[in-house]
Amino acid sequence: MRGKRLLALSRGQESLPARWLERLLRDKGLPPSAEHFLSVDYEGQPSRVLLPVFFGQALACIVTERSLRTMSELNPQIEAQMERIAVSEPLMDFVMCLAPSVDPSLAPRFAELGLGLSDNPWGRQMLLSLQLDGIAPFRPEAIEPARRLVEP
Protein backbone atom coordinates (compact mmCIF):
# COMPACT_ATOMS: atom_id res chain seq x y z
CA MET A 1 0.00 0.00 0.00
CA ARG A 2 3.07 2.21 0.05
CA GLY A 3 2.55 5.28 -2.12
CA LYS A 4 -1.20 4.75 -2.45
CA ARG A 5 -4.19 6.87 -1.38
CA LEU A 6 -5.90 5.97 1.91
CA LEU A 7 -9.25 7.29 3.13
CA ALA A 8 -10.33 7.40 6.75
CA LEU A 9 -13.70 7.94 8.38
CA SER A 10 -12.56 10.45 10.93
CA ARG A 11 -12.64 14.02 12.12
CA GLY A 12 -8.97 14.56 11.44
CA GLN A 13 -5.42 13.64 12.31
CA GLU A 14 -5.90 13.68 16.08
CA SER A 15 -8.82 11.25 16.10
CA LEU A 16 -8.68 7.62 17.21
CA PRO A 17 -8.72 6.20 13.65
CA ALA A 18 -5.71 8.33 12.74
CA ARG A 19 -3.90 7.34 15.91
CA TRP A 20 -4.76 3.68 15.30
CA LEU A 21 -3.27 3.93 11.80
CA GLU A 22 -0.03 5.46 13.12
CA ARG A 23 0.24 2.76 15.82
CA LEU A 24 -0.43 0.00 13.26
CA LEU A 25 2.28 1.31 10.93
CA ARG A 26 4.76 1.75 13.78
CA ASP A 27 4.09 -1.76 15.13
CA LYS A 28 4.80 -3.18 11.64
CA GLY A 29 8.07 -1.24 11.39
CA LEU A 30 6.72 1.08 8.69
CA PRO A 31 7.15 4.86 8.43
CA PRO A 32 4.42 7.29 9.55
CA SER A 33 1.38 7.59 7.28
CA ALA A 34 2.54 10.92 5.79
CA GLU A 35 5.65 9.15 4.45
CA HIS A 36 4.12 5.76 3.69
CA PHE A 37 1.00 6.76 1.74
CA LEU A 38 0.55 9.14 -1.17
CA SER A 39 -2.17 10.77 0.90
CA VAL A 40 -4.48 10.08 3.83
CA ASP A 41 -7.76 11.92 3.40
CA TYR A 42 -10.16 12.26 6.33
CA GLU A 43 -13.89 12.32 5.65
CA GLY A 44 -16.85 12.50 8.02
CA GLN A 45 -19.31 10.44 5.96
CA PRO A 46 -18.97 6.66 5.53
CA SER A 47 -20.08 6.78 1.87
CA ARG A 48 -17.25 9.21 1.04
CA VAL A 49 -14.77 6.71 2.46
CA LEU A 50 -16.14 3.32 1.39
CA LEU A 51 -17.47 4.05 -2.09
CA PRO A 52 -14.17 5.34 -3.58
CA VAL A 53 -12.52 2.09 -2.46
CA PHE A 54 -15.43 0.03 -3.78
CA PHE A 55 -15.17 1.77 -7.18
CA GLY A 56 -11.35 1.56 -7.33
CA GLN A 57 -10.59 5.27 -6.80
CA ALA A 58 -8.65 4.53 -3.60
CA LEU A 59 -6.86 1.40 -2.46
CA ALA A 60 -8.05 1.20 1.15
CA CYS A 61 -10.00 2.93 3.86
CA ILE A 62 -10.47 3.00 7.60
CA VAL A 63 -14.10 2.78 8.73
CA THR A 64 -16.06 1.66 11.74
CA GLU A 65 -17.60 -1.79 11.72
CA ARG A 66 -20.99 -0.13 12.08
CA SER A 67 -20.44 2.01 8.97
CA LEU A 68 -19.37 -1.00 6.93
CA ARG A 69 -22.42 -2.93 8.15
CA THR A 70 -24.79 -0.07 7.28
CA MET A 71 -23.31 0.50 3.83
CA SER A 72 -23.40 -3.27 3.17
CA GLU A 73 -27.09 -3.39 4.05
CA LEU A 74 -27.67 -0.75 1.38
CA ASN A 75 -25.42 -2.55 -1.13
CA PRO A 76 -24.50 -6.19 -0.25
CA GLN A 77 -21.75 -6.17 -2.90
CA ILE A 78 -19.71 -3.87 -0.66
CA GLU A 79 -19.30 -6.56 2.01
CA ALA A 80 -18.82 -9.28 -0.60
CA GLN A 81 -16.11 -7.48 -2.58
CA MET A 82 -14.16 -5.68 0.14
CA GLU A 83 -11.61 -7.37 2.38
CA ARG A 84 -10.65 -6.48 5.95
CA ILE A 85 -6.86 -6.18 6.13
CA ALA A 86 -6.59 -5.01 9.76
CA VAL A 87 -9.12 -4.69 12.58
CA SER A 88 -8.61 -2.73 15.78
CA GLU A 89 -9.75 -3.90 19.15
CA PRO A 90 -13.00 -2.18 20.23
CA LEU A 91 -12.36 1.49 20.97
CA MET A 92 -14.39 3.75 23.23
CA ASP A 93 -15.33 6.76 21.15
CA PHE A 94 -16.03 9.21 23.95
CA VAL A 95 -16.72 9.57 27.66
CA MET A 96 -19.44 11.80 29.07
CA CYS A 97 -18.47 13.57 32.26
CA LEU A 98 -20.24 16.03 34.52
CA ALA A 99 -18.64 19.31 35.54
CA PRO A 100 -17.71 19.60 39.23
CA SER A 101 -20.30 22.38 39.55
CA VAL A 102 -23.17 19.97 38.73
CA ASP A 103 -25.10 18.69 41.72
CA PRO A 104 -23.71 15.15 42.29
CA SER A 105 -27.20 13.88 43.09
CA LEU A 106 -28.08 14.41 39.38
CA ALA A 107 -25.43 11.92 38.18
CA PRO A 108 -27.70 8.87 38.45
CA ARG A 109 -30.39 10.65 36.43
CA PHE A 110 -27.91 11.57 33.66
CA ALA A 111 -26.69 7.96 33.62
CA GLU A 112 -30.26 6.65 33.44
CA LEU A 113 -31.06 8.95 30.51
CA GLY A 114 -27.92 7.99 28.60
CA LEU A 115 -28.26 4.27 29.21
CA GLY A 116 -31.94 4.37 28.20
CA LEU A 117 -31.41 5.98 24.80
CA SER A 118 -31.72 2.70 22.92
CA ASP A 119 -35.08 2.02 24.61
CA ASN A 120 -37.05 4.54 22.54
CA PRO A 121 -37.26 5.64 18.88
CA TRP A 122 -35.94 9.15 19.54
CA GLY A 123 -32.93 7.78 21.44
CA ARG A 124 -32.18 5.17 18.78
CA GLN A 125 -32.33 7.91 16.12
CA MET A 126 -29.92 10.03 18.14
CA LEU A 127 -27.51 7.11 18.52
CA LEU A 128 -27.77 6.42 14.79
CA SER A 129 -27.05 10.05 13.89
CA LEU A 130 -23.99 9.99 16.16
CA GLN A 131 -22.93 6.65 14.64
CA LEU A 132 -22.94 4.98 18.05
CA ASP A 133 -23.89 1.41 18.80
CA GLY A 134 -25.01 2.38 22.27
CA ILE A 135 -24.03 3.87 25.60
CA ALA A 136 -22.69 1.79 28.46
CA PRO A 137 -21.70 2.53 32.05
CA PHE A 138 -18.09 3.63 32.32
CA ARG A 139 -15.56 0.96 33.25
CA PRO A 140 -11.94 2.19 33.62
CA GLU A 141 -10.57 -0.84 31.74
CA ALA A 142 -12.74 -0.01 28.69
CA ILE A 143 -10.69 3.08 27.94
CA GLU A 144 -7.37 1.19 27.90
CA PRO A 145 -7.30 0.38 24.14
CA ALA A 146 -7.81 4.07 23.29
CA ARG A 147 -5.27 5.15 25.92
CA ARG A 148 -2.64 2.82 24.44
CA LEU A 149 -3.08 4.54 21.07
CA VAL A 150 -2.08 7.91 22.45
CA GLU A 151 0.84 6.84 24.59
CA PRO A 152 4.31 7.28 23.08
Side-chain angles (χ1 to χ4, degrees), residues 92-119:
M92 183 182 295
D93 201 19
F94 69 89
V95 177
M96 184 170 77
C97 303
L98 297 176
S101 59
V102 173
D103 180 353
S105 68
L106 295 176
R109 181 68 180 137
F110 278 107
E112 179 185 331
L113 290 170
L115 295 172
L117 282 176
S118 60
D119 296 339

Side-chain angles (χ1 to χ4, degrees), residues 9-26:
L9 178 62
S10 174
R11 292 177 189 90
Q13 293 179 323
E14 293 303 316
S15 64
L16 286 179
R19 298 232 181 209
W20 175 76
L21 173 62
E22 296 304 331
R23 175 58 59 124
L24 182 66
L25 291 170
R26 186 171 68 206

Side-chain angles (χ1 to χ4, degrees), residues 87-148:
V87 178
S88 75
E89 54 188 319
L91 296 169
M92 183 182 295
D93 201 19
F94 69 89
V95 177
M96 184 170 77
C97 303
L98 297 176
S101 59
V102 173
D103 180 353
S105 68
L106 295 176
R109 181 68 180 137
F110 278 107
E112 179 185 331
L113 290 170
L115 295 172
L117 282 176
S118 60
D119 296 339
N120 63 72
W122 178 86
R124 285 190 295 276
Q125 184 64 38
M126 190 169 101
L127 290 171
L128 181 64
S129 69
L130 294 171
Q131 298 180 5
L132 297 175
D133 289 324
I135 295 178
F138 179 75
R139 295 181 345 265
E141 64 273 11
I143 204 165
E144 283 306 304
R147 188 189 62 73
R148 284 194 297 273

